[in-house]
């Protein structure tokens, strides 16, 4: 099974990237997931279910540990055929 995760961290800071957003970005980019897209208002990635779930745990731990007060998260099952 493949999953797609989308998430944002708060509080927002329009002047600079908050430490919690940097921590989440680093955790996601180091996860080895496919199709990682890191943006100023949200992040997405896809991969095998076990890899995505492990990455979600790491993103939550690191971003909350770095000062996030909220992490909004959505996980969807991705159609295997459309992912290829």
């Amino acid at each position: 099974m493949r999953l797609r995760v989308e998430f944002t961290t708060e509080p927002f800071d329009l002047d600079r990237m908050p430490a919690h957003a940097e921590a989440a970005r680093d955790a996601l980019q180091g996860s080895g997931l496919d199709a990682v897209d890191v943006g100023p208002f949200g992040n997405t990635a896809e991969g095998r279910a076990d890899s995505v779930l492990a990455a979600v745990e790491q993103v939550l731990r690191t971003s909350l540990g770095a000062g996030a007060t909220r992490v909004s998260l959505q996980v969807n099952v991705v159609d295997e055929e459309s992912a290829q």
Side-chain angles (χ1 to χ4, degrees), residues 4-79:
R4 176 183 298 125
V5 60
E6 302 174 46
F7 69 92
T8 59
T9 60
E10 295 179 41
F12 294 116
D13 184 339
L14 298 178
D15 295 326
R16 64 176 182 78
M17 181 180 278
H20 60 78
E22 289 180 12
R25 177 200 62 203
D26 293 346
L28 189 63
Q29 289 179 328
S31 67
L33 296 178
D34 307 330
V36 173
D37 182 28
V38 177
F41 299 108
N43 307 284
T44 62
E46 291 183 17
R48 292 186 351 253
D50 57 339
S51 297
V52 170
L53 295 174
V56 166
E57 178 183 9
Q58 189 63 23
V59 163
L60 290 172
R61 289 183 183 280
T62 59
S63 60
L64 292 170
T69 57
R70 176 185 299 203
V71 179
S72 300
L73 165 63
Q74 179 174 311
V75 178
N76 295 321
V77 175
V78 176
D79 180 12

